[in-house]
Amino acid sequence: MRLGPGRNSLERLAIATARGNAEVYLHGAHVTAWQPSGADPVIWVSGDSQFHPDKPIRGGVPICFPWFAAHATDASAPMHGFARLRGWTLASAEDRNGEVQVRFLLTDDDTSRRSSWPHRFQAEYRVTFGDRLGMALDVANTGDAPLTFEAVLHTYFAVGNIREVGVTGLAATEYLDKVDGFTRKREGDAPIRFTGETDRIYLDTESTCTIHDPELRRRIEVVKTGSLSTVVWNPWIDKARAMPDFGDDEWPSMLCIETANVRDAAVRLEPASHHTMTAVIGVGAL
Ligand code: TA6
């Protein structure tokens, strides 16, 4: 385990154990790599990601908090909240027989208290790098008034070819289709297939999702707790081309399956209470 300058000199914890390799940046507490021993990389990062202290890293696992997408009332506020743009405190990193547990903290400060979400809070993000990738985001209300937040572990997965991929676990689930004016629709019974830009917020679902990837001959499972929303996103050709930190030819190699609480599933916390959302990622043979 080595803490030191990563891309563009952003502080990075690099992990290499018998169970695999991983890396996580203190900027946004952003996981940017996880590759279990004997497997292909599971987490995808754009080759055009800027690794700039004032920008989100493109790919990996951005933490969207305390809101998702554009802020409801403040057009100047950053997309997906401020957490992925802040330096988190690395509270601990322990190697337990090749399984590395890392703990990050983010609390309110003058900047956040002047933001469009001025609440007092502590966010603790625990990541376990082992035969599986475990992520747990715990948010505590440390103020004296109720607060409401959205949270998304916006995980970018590496896939062989998005055109060949199927996703199961969301059959018959209602979703909001962002590419069709957020029209409310219901998923069919067949695996989700990708033939164009896909940007969907699945509602009221605690289901495990599985990515079936014939080209890499593997399946990736996303098991979640404390989450009622799942976001599925591939930008496809035009949106990939429109993003400056996303290579024009990268879209076939990635898919976001995002563990979330957004919109009607936003979390309300009374003072002195907390909420934990977890995602555990596992890889197996197809
Ligand atoms: O989670 C899907 C999404 O909301 C897409 O609409 C797209 O905007 C994506 O997030 C990436 O957002 P970003 O701000 O990281 O470019």
Side-chain angles (χ1 to χ4, degrees):
M1 201 162 13
R2 192 176 63 256
L3 185 61
R7 300 269 300 272
N8 201 20
S9 300
L10 293 181
E11 195 74 346
R12 175 187 63 184
L13 182 67
I15 294 162
T17 74
R19 293 177 191 242
N21 298 329
E23 61 181 34
V24 53
Y25 282 76
L26 275 60
H27 177 58
H30 202 126
V31 172
T32 51
W34 177 60
Q35 181 173 9
S37 295
D40 289 313
V42 177
I43 298 297
W44 179 91
V45 171
S46 170
D48 291 356
S49 184
Q50 294 166 26
F51 286 87
H52 190 280
D54 293 338
K55 294 191 182 304
I57 294 168
R58 173 66 64 194
V61 186
I63 299 172
C64 304
F65 172 82
W67 64 83
F68 174 65
H71 186 273
T73 57
D74 179 356
S76 69
M79 275 288 283
H80 293 331
F82 51 70
R84 65 178 183 166
L85 298 170
R86 308 301 297 275
W88 289 55
T89 299
L90 177 57
S92 64
E94 297 175 70
D95 184 337
R96 297 178 180 171
N97 188 27
E99 183 174 82
V100 175
Q101 297 192 356
V102 184
R103 201 168 141 261
F104 290 97
L105 296 173
L106 182 72
T107 56
D108 58 281
D109 60 15
D110 288 345
T111 306
S112 71
R113 288 191 293 271
R114 285 197 306 271
S115 80
S116 15
W117 195 84
H119 301 288
R120 306 198 74 98
F121 73 95
Q122 170 167 294
E124 179 186 68
Y125 183 47
R126 301 184 297 275
V127 190
T128 303
F129 299 100
D131 298 335
R132 293 175 183 275
L133 171 62
M135 298 177 282
L137 179 65
D138 183 284
V139 176
N141 180 351
T142 55
D144 53 12
L147 62 81
T148 300
F149 70 91
E150 294 177 303
V152 180
L153 296 172
H154 193 299
T155 311
Y156 288 71
F157 291 99
V159 298
N161 178 352
I162 190 66
R163 301 177 190 85
E164 305 297 326
V165 159
V167 172
T168 56
L170 294 168
T173 305
E174 286 199 298
Y175 64 92
L176 302 177
D177 187 349
K178 184 174 176 182
V179 299
D180 187 11
F182 286 102
T183 305
R184 194 176 184 113
K185 302 177 179 177
R186 183 178 294 278
E187 191 57 59
D189 293 333
I192 301 168
R193 303 299 299 249
F194 300 87
T195 58
E197 181 183 354
T198 305
D199 196 345
R200 302 174 184 174
I201 302 171
Y202 287 84
L203 307 169
D204 302 324
T205 172
E206 299 179 84
S207 298
T208 293
C209 286
T210 304
I211 300 171
H212 301 260
D213 184 342
E215 180 148 324
L216 296 182
R217 292 191 301 282
R218 71 179 180 189
R219 70 186 190 290
I220 298 173
E221 244 186 18
V222 185
V223 181
K224 65 176 193 173
T225 66
S227 158
L228 290 177
S229 322
T230 296
V231 182
V232 177
W233 180 56
N234 181 283
W236 217 255
I237 301 166
D238 295 342
K239 181 130 191 193
R241 192 169 290 146
M243 291 184 280
D245 59 351
F246 197 113
D248 291 355
D249 57 356
E250 291 184 319
W251 57 271
S253 308
M254 56 69 66
L255 173 63
C256 286
I257 301 288
E258 306 165 30
T259 300
N261 285 304
V262 299
R263 301 175 81 106
D264 290 351
V267 178
R268 175 184 165 90
L269 285 182
E270 295 300 326
S273 64
H274 72 108
H275 177 276
T276 305
M277 176 171 78
T278 74
V280 177
I281 315 296
V283 183
L286 201 55

